[in-house]
Amino acid sequence: MISMGLTWNVSKMDIPLMKRDHDILRVARIMSRESNATNFKFGSVIAKGRTILGVGFNDVLKTHPKSTTFHGHIHAELSAVLNARCDVSGTTLYIFRAGYKERPLLAKPCKACQTLIVKQGIKCVCYSIEDGYEKILVSQIFEG
């Protein structure tokens, strides 16, 4: 993956969540149930306003359903971008990581997904944390 030397800094912006954010995060939670990963289940949604453009979940890749060997995985963020099948610039990306009994866990995007978010022009990211959610503007979270 292309590295842009970016640093994810969430302390710069604190945006309150609106009702629609909670509604769309509920969809991301439902999408996390579709994941075939055993230890970590992520769901994601790309939306513009109340309109959902794409959904995704992390997917562990196998060569055969009975295989115990994994050959990589697709992140929920990438899955949602690919499923959108349209321009996602100016949208909001919602990410939910489900823990035990679907308790929210930290779903901060990894470095590769951060690069994807910037390159796709996504303007806002909302993700689960242990005690709730963070919503941040992409333009305010990268340095370097």
Side-chain angles (χ1 to χ4, degrees), residues 86-99:
C86 65
D87 180 23
V88 296
S89 61
T91 60
T92 300
L93 173 64
Y94 298 86
I95 312 160
F96 182 86
R97 179 179 175 194

Side-chain angles (χ1 to χ4, degrees), residues 40-84:
F40 49 92
K41 295 182 178 287
F42 288 83
S44 63
V45 176
I46 295 177
K48 197 164 207 165
R50 286 193 164 276
T51 304
I52 294 176
L53 302 176
V55 295
F57 53 89
N58 61 321
D59 192 12
V60 178
L61 306 174
K62 298 182 185 181
T63 56
H64 188 275
K66 293 184 179 180
S67 174
T68 58
T69 305
F70 300 111
H71 298 283
H73 57 277
I74 296 175
H75 288 205
E77 299 91 334
L78 175 60
S79 178
V81 168
L82 293 174
N83 288 327

